[in-house]
Amino acid sequence: MDGLISFANSVGSILTSWSAVDVVWATLLGIIVGMLPGLTATLGVALLTTLTFKMEADQAILILVCMYVGAIYGGSRSAILLNIPGTPANAATALDGFPLARAGKAGSAMAIATTGSVFGGLIGMIALAVIAPVLAEFALSFGAFEFFWLAVFGVLISGQLTSLDDPIKGWIAGFLGLFIATIGQEGIYAVPRFSYGSTDLSGGIGLLPAMVGAFGLAEILTVMRHEAFEAVRAKSDSVWSGIREAYKYKFTAIRSGLIGTLMGLIPGVGEDMGSWASYAAARQTSKNKEEFGKGSVEGLLAAESGNNAAVPGALIPVLTLAVPGSAPAAVLLAAMVIHGIRPGPLIMIESPGFVYSVVAMVFLATIAMGVLGLLLTRPLVLVLKVTRERLMPIIFVLCTVGAFAIASRTFDVWVMLFFGVFGFILRELKYPMAPLILGIVLGDILDKSLRRGLVLSDGELMQFFNRPISMVLWISALLFILLTMPSIRKLLGRLFKQKAKGGVQ
């Protein structure tokens, strides 16, 4: 009941102040950022973070949450009209959204996507309100040993789920991120590592310049390398008919919302896996499997419910464990630290009201997203007519200014440029970006937890393996690695077949 009162108070305080205006413009800006190919939710949140330094903490986090929610939804517009996802989270949306648009049902498709996004966002918001306080209380039993294995497990599972075809590439990207995190002074004795006498490198690699490069400049280079896309020009139908269509599959939306929330909870996996997992589940249980990929209302609804539910899902580990559930959530985590908020197991003791404030922010951003998405369906389509030759130079300038503004260091601009080119090369080689960024975020946690654990145990390694929670985490990590090996999977398959034959006999 206390949580419900805190939530209601937070909603009331936002709606009765100028913060209500912030909800509208930040969500609308997020939708536009998500719509434009070459801009992602991660880049939008990162660039906006550099503009919120002087703001109050609550106002800054509200604006960033609205940008995050709006951008993940906005990517559905370009996926439906251009067949190019505005963000990676909307890749599954294009499978059925674009065929619907080509059939003259662009209005319905956008309404279905909007309805699914609102459904998913509200389900994820309820999960955030229920799970976050419980998980924070459980996380109080975590020590240095447990956080070490949590960081390892996070990198492993992120690498696996963001690169299903070749998990090794995901793990390489993750461990590259862990290595980058070790550059600079270490956290206990301030001994410089891999700095080679450079004072700039001794200060470490900043997360935000690296993310602006990996998700901003790299995206610009990727977009400019490929041919431009043209929007569908088929006659559009009514938006309201799409809402009626979506309501027929309300149980699909609820299931997809739950799956998306679960995907958001997993470190570094985020919205794109929430979308794909929800889409796969909808197809598996549908009575009309043959329609998927050809303009299925159910498939489009599932994809959008899943990716938007993953947004509040990704905020759960951010608030309770200080571990991001997705790349945009990693920027949000950095922004919270900048504004003096300390996410982690103690948050329900130090700032219990802040968790429910974030729930209120997600709720209002989701409502604003739904209203703006339906009312501005036709005007927002005009945004897609901006040519990339005009847009990309502006984005490059914003990336440069954003990287510099964080600490007013020219070195950060060079970091942004390096990660932009490096990220572009990795993308062309089919390496995922999310594990790389998660590795940079978790590298500090892993390093400090390992060193603290060794100090606490007097150099005894067994403490990392024989504590109950540590044991669950390292065994899970080991099983995860073993089960990704084709030889192990084949062996298990043979054993199950032999067991089944024995049972029949």
Side-chain angles (χ1 to χ4, degrees):
M1 185 58 72
D2 290 341
L4 193 61
I5 293 169
S6 298
F7 168 73
N9 289 337
S10 297
V11 171
S13 66
I14 292 171
L15 290 177
T16 55
S17 66
W18 281 102
S19 296
V21 178
D22 291 332
V23 171
V24 176
W25 75 257
T27 306
L28 181 59
L29 182 61
I31 293 170
I32 293 170
V33 166
M35 284 177 66
L36 294 169
L39 304 186
T40 62
T42 307
L43 177 62
V45 177
L47 290 177
L48 211 52
T49 298
T50 63
L51 303 176
T52 58
F53 282 159
K54 299 272 177 93
M55 293 181 181
E56 293 291 323
D58 283 350
Q59 184 187 12
I61 301 304
L62 171 65
I63 290 169
L64 296 177
V65 167
C66 290
M67 163 62 79
Y68 185 9
V69 171
I72 295 299
Y73 160 71
S76 64
R77 297 299 169 102
S78 53
I80 291 166
L81 296 173
L82 299 176
N83 198 27
I84 174 172
T87 69
N90 306 103
T93 303
L95 295 179
D96 290 298
F98 187 65
L100 281 170
R102 290 185 69 181
K105 296 181 178 178
S108 287
M110 288 187 279
I112 291 161
T114 305
T115 307
S117 297
V118 172
F119 257 109
L122 293 177
I123 290 167
M125 180 212 73
I126 294 167
L128 172 62
V130 173
I131 297 173
V134 177
L135 187 58
E137 189 174 342
F138 174 69
L140 288 171
S141 58
F142 278 44
F145 310 100
E146 289 77 15
F147 273 109
F148 169 78
W149 284 113
L150 182 66
V152 172
F153 185 67
V155 171
L156 287 174
I157 197 167
S158 173
Q160 161 72 18
L161 293 179
T162 55
S163 184
L164 293 172
D165 296 333
D166 192 354
I168 298 296
K169 285 187 174 181
W171 293 339
I172 289 172
F175 282 99
L176 268 174
L178 290 178
F179 166 70
I180 290 165
T182 63
I183 296 172
Q185 295 178 339
E186 55 86 27
I188 296 180
Y189 299 109
V191 176
R193 299 177 296 191
F194 307 111
S195 60
Y196 306 106
S198 167
T199 52
D200 286 321
L201 283 173
S202 294
I205 302 297
L207 173 65
L208 289 177
M211 292 194 77
V212 169
F215 287 93
L217 180 56
E219 191 71 37
I220 291 170
L221 295 172
T222 304
V223 168
M224 296 306 292
R225 184 178 183 277
H226 297 102
E227 292 181 12
F229 289 81
E230 252 189 77
V232 170
R233 294 184 181 178
K235 190 178 178 182
S236 180
D237 62 338
S238 168
V239 168
W240 307 110
S241 62
I243 297 174
R244 289 193 295 272
E245 283 285 311
Y247 187 73
K248 294 176 185 176
Y249 299 101
K250 53 185 177 293
F251 295 113
T252 298
I254 293 169
R255 182 184 61 235
S256 301
L258 294 172
I259 293 171
T261 305
L262 179 62
M263 289 293 113
L265 271 165
I266 301 171
V269 173
E271 301 80 22
D272 36 351
M273 274 308 299
S275 179
W276 283 114
S278 300
Y279 186 84
R283 186 176 183 179
Q284 191 72 29
T285 56
S286 176
K287 295 176 182 176
N288 304 304
K289 292 184 177 66
E290 69 283 350
E291 291 181 9
F292 279 69
K294 298 175 184 176
S296 168
V297 171
E298 193 174 3
L300 175 58
L301 185 71
E304 280 300 300
S305 299
N307 62 28
N308 281 272
V311 172
L315 296 179
I316 295 171
V318 166
L319 292 170
T320 57
L321 299 170
V323 173
S326 66
V331 187
L332 206 54
L333 172 62
M336 288 178 187
V337 174
I338 288 168
H339 286 284
I341 299 160
R342 210 163 61 135
L346 294 174
I347 195 163
M348 290 305 293
I349 296 170
E350 296 176 345
S351 311
F354 179 71
V355 173
Y356 295 104
S357 292
V358 173
V359 175
M361 293 171 192
V362 172
F363 172 71
L364 291 173
T366 302
I367 299 302
M369 171 195 73
V371 173
L372 292 170
L374 292 173
L375 294 182
L376 302 179
T377 294
R378 295 185 189 282
L380 284 172
V381 173
L382 298 175
V383 175
L384 295 173
K385 293 185 178 179
V386 179
T387 61
R388 61 182 188 171
E389 287 78 13
R390 292 182 180 180
L391 180 67
M392 292 304 140
I394 297 171
I395 303 308
F396 177 70
V397 170
L398 288 174
C399 288
T400 307
V401 171
F404 180 78
I406 294 160
S408 300
R409 293 197 308 169
T410 308
F411 176 72
D412 286 336
V413 177
W414 289 110
V415 169
M416 184 273 292
L417 291 171
F418 171 80
F419 274 91
V421 175
F422 184 53
F424 172 70
I425 293 168
L426 287 180
R427 284 174 187 232
E428 292 299 302
L429 296 172
K430 307 300 181 187
Y431 283 83
M433 286 290 99
L436 175 73
I437 296 302
L438 186 72
I440 297 175
V441 175
L442 294 182
D444 185 56
I445 296 172
L446 186 146
D447 182 35
K448 287 179 180 174
S449 298
L450 174 63
R451 296 169 68 80
R452 284 175 187 155
L454 289 172
V455 169
L456 289 169
S457 65
D458 226 7
E460 177 58 55
L461 287 173
M462 285 309 296
Q463 290 275 356
F464 284 92
F465 295 92
N466 57 18
R467 290 164 63 97
I469 299 174
S470 294
M471 191 179 293
V472 170
L473 289 170
W474 76 257
I475 289 173
S476 299
L478 181 62
L479 287 172
F480 202 76
I481 294 170
L482 291 174
L483 291 173
T484 58
M485 296 180 181
S487 55
I488 299 291
R489 289 208 301 268
K490 285 178 183 175
L491 179 63
L492 288 172
R494 286 198 207 102
L495 289 173
F496 280 124
K497 282 180 182 177
Q498 287 176 2
K499 192 174 180 181
K501 285 179 182 177
V504 170
Q505 290 173 357

